[in-house]
Amino acid sequence: MTKKVVVIGGGIVGCITSFFLIEKGYDVSLVDQSAIGQEASWAGAGILSPLLPWHYQDSVNQLCFGSADFYRQLSNTLKKDTGIDPEWTESGMLIFSATNQNKAIDWCQKNHTEIQETEDRCLLLPRVAQIRNPRLLRALKIYLINNNVVMIENQRVSPITDSSNSIHHLQTEKGINLEADYYVVASGAWSSFVLNEIDAPKIKPIRGQLIQYPAIQEKLSHILYKDDFYLVQRQDGVVLAGSTSEDVGFDKGVTESARLSLQNKAEELMPMLKKYNIQNQWSGLRPGSQGNIPMIEKHPKYNNVYLNTGHYRYGLTMAPRAAKIITDLITSHG
Ligand SMILES: Cc1cc2nc3c(=O)[nH]c(=O)nc-3n(C[C@H](O)[C@H](O)[C@H](O)COP(=O)(O)OP(=O)(O)OC[C@H]3O[C@@H](n4cnc5c(N)ncnc54)[C@H](O)[C@@H]3O)c2cc1C
């Protein structure tokens, strides 16, 4: 009989996990407390790489390797099957004033990552790609529905409190019963609520704000990066500038100070932006974790609950590897 999996959280992590699970023949329901794909995964910049990979532990980078290739193929599939183009683009990333360039070059050589030194002492990572994440999420949702994933939106799953060592059903706050053989917690910044870890949460929200310039006439040669700040241009010319990192709980507001700070950095890096007005500003709550190391594992207590959360700054990039790990764990469970 087909085994049933309930995935809690319809961000990129939950959607890609569902994508892998249906490929293996599972019967998948994806539950979200609001609409699918409207939280951090919608808000992010869509860069498919850690910003400076050599600053992270190997375990972080290992989860990111291969991501750009995965999304290139997925993008083609989604474009064909849904008519929505997630705009996968190999933009490359140009890094200004990189300190310790030798360390960066060394790391890239050891990790088979292409890197070039430019004449003006910048570093170029030519294989860094980007994807237009709001479109990706929109297309993925349609694809998953077309492939029989049941979408349950506007249903908040209550904390897991069962005293036995396996879960037979979970409930939403509106009283819907979610029966399944397996559960995957992919609830992003809210995961500690679902896991009932309110006193000592392992995952906590870290707000990130971005601003958007309208479609500009000039073309950026690459994603531009300087001192933890980046500019990303989409195919239609729109430019995103980000981002902040703020420990403000579940507050998703945007602030004037962030807007000014991002604007100053953007216009310093690319002075021609001064002639354009900022068109939009938004924020998202990253699922913050220690060292950016996510939890991709079986729950320590429940033998049919799996955790796929805490991808922090790189959830979009890590989602394919993370989803594969969880799918393999569930498959090997029997
Ligand atoms: C400004 C910004 C820029 C970023 N840029 C990048 C980037 O360039 N590249 C990159 O790789 N990453 C980037 N990130 C990080 C990335 O967006 C996150 O790591 C990723 O979106 C996390 O995905 P997720 O699916 O875990 O979380 P989310 O997208 O937040 O999804 C979690 C979902 O769970 C649902 N949920 C929560 N609790 C419950 C519950 N109790 N019941 C039902 N549903 C529930 C929520 O409604 C939500 O839809 C950025 C993030 C921000 C904020």
Side-chain angles (χ1 to χ4, degrees):
M1 213 175 79
T2 309
K3 295 262 170 113
K4 192 165 176 189
V5 188
V6 165
V7 177
I8 307 163
I12 192 67
V13 174
C15 285
I16 299 283
T17 304
S18 302
F19 179 90
F20 276 69
L21 286 166
I22 53 171
E23 277 193 339
K24 290 284 178 196
Y26 290 96
D27 184 348
V28 178
S29 297
L30 186 54
V31 195
D32 203 287
Q33 63 187 2
S34 54
I36 302 288
Q38 293 298 310
E39 295 291 351
S41 305
W42 174 89
I47 303 168
L48 298 174
S49 164
L51 292 167
L52 300 179
W54 43 91
H55 282 183
Y56 291 96
Q57 290 186 27
D58 287 350
S59 56
V60 172
N61 283 305
Q62 274 155 16
L63 286 167
C64 296
F65 283 135
S67 173
D69 281 344
F70 171 86
Y71 281 112
R72 180 169 43 78
Q73 286 174 31
L74 179 65
S75 223
N76 288 336
T77 303
L78 294 176
K79 198 168 149 184
K80 188 160 63 69
D81 289 7
T82 70
I84 299 172
D85 181 3
E87 297 185 7
W88 183 94
T89 313
E90 194 175 67
S91 320
M93 182 160 66
L94 189 63
I95 302 165
F96 290 82
S97 23
T99 51
N100 209 341
Q101 296 211 352
N102 289 341
K103 181 181 168 193
I105 293 167
D106 222 44
W107 185 92
C108 287
Q109 280 166 354
K110 284 196 184 113
N111 290 280
H112 314 289
T113 302
E114 237 181 277
I115 189 163
Q116 295 161 13
E117 284 176 278
T118 65
E119 279 170 13
D120 40 3
R121 295 213 28 86
C122 294
L123 293 176
L124 174 65
L125 296 174
R127 298 283 162 240
V128 170
Q130 60 158 300
I131 199 156
R132 197 158 186 167
N133 37 308
R135 292 191 188 182
L136 169 70
L137 269 298
R138 203 147 47 85
L140 255 176
K141 180 177 175 181
I142 295 171
Y143 178 92
L144 294 174
I145 290 172
N146 290 348
N147 285 277
N148 303 322
V149 171
V150 177
M151 299 274 172
I152 306 173
E153 297 186 288
N154 304 308
Q155 289 287 341
R156 188 177 208 212
V157 176
S158 302
I160 305 176
T161 52
D162 210 298
S163 56
S164 67
N165 63 0
S166 86
I167 300 287
H168 301 292
H169 68 265
L170 287 179
Q171 274 225 325
T172 70
E173 287 183 349
K174 291 181 190 161
I176 289 190
N177 247 346
L178 303 165
E179 283 181 29
D181 299 288
Y182 306 105
Y183 297 87
V184 179
V185 178
S187 317
W190 298 264
S191 296
S192 294
F193 167 82
V194 179
L195 295 170
N196 216 1
E197 287 174 346
I198 299 308
D199 294 335
K202 295 196 188 79
I203 308 297
K204 69 170 185 173
I206 300 292
R207 183 170 73 186
Q209 298 188 51
L210 280 172
I211 57 172
Q212 180 187 305
Y213 288 88
I216 64 169
Q217 285 155 0
E218 299 82 356
K219 171 119 181 62
L220 263 68
S221 56
H222 306 286
I223 296 166
L224 306 182
Y225 175 90
K226 187 180 178 192
D227 300 333
D228 207 24
F229 169 80
Y230 50 78
L231 289 174
V232 181
Q233 188 172 39
R234 302 303 195 202
Q235 288 183 3
D236 59 3
V238 158
V239 175
L240 306 186
S243 58
T244 63
S245 252
E246 304 161 79
D247 187 355
V248 290
F250 288 95
D251 178 358
K252 276 207 308 179
V254 293
T255 60
E256 186 62 21
S257 58
R259 180 187 176 95
L260 283 173
S261 156
L262 294 171
Q263 183 176 18
N264 286 339
K265 289 180 189 171
E267 294 173 7
E268 188 197 311
L269 197 54
M270 198 183 166
M272 67 186 74
L273 285 173
K274 286 186 185 148
K275 63 179 186 217
Y276 297 97
N277 291 325
I278 295 169
Q279 195 180 43
N280 206 350
Q281 178 181 11
W282 64 83
S283 81
L285 299 177
R286 304 181 185 94
S289 55
Q290 198 74 36
N292 212 121
I293 299 172
M295 300 165 80
I296 308 170
E297 60 206 31
K298 193 170 82 58
H299 191 288
K301 179 175 168 206
Y302 303 114
N303 61 28
N304 63 341
V305 177
Y306 295 84
L307 314 182
N308 195 359
T309 181
H311 308 77
Y312 199 3
R313 297 196 72 170
Y314 303 120
L316 199 72
T317 312
M318 289 176 167
R321 282 256 163 141
K324 166 94 172 61
I325 293 170
I326 290 297
T327 304
D328 287 349
L329 284 173
I330 292 177
T331 309
S332 66
H333 188 278

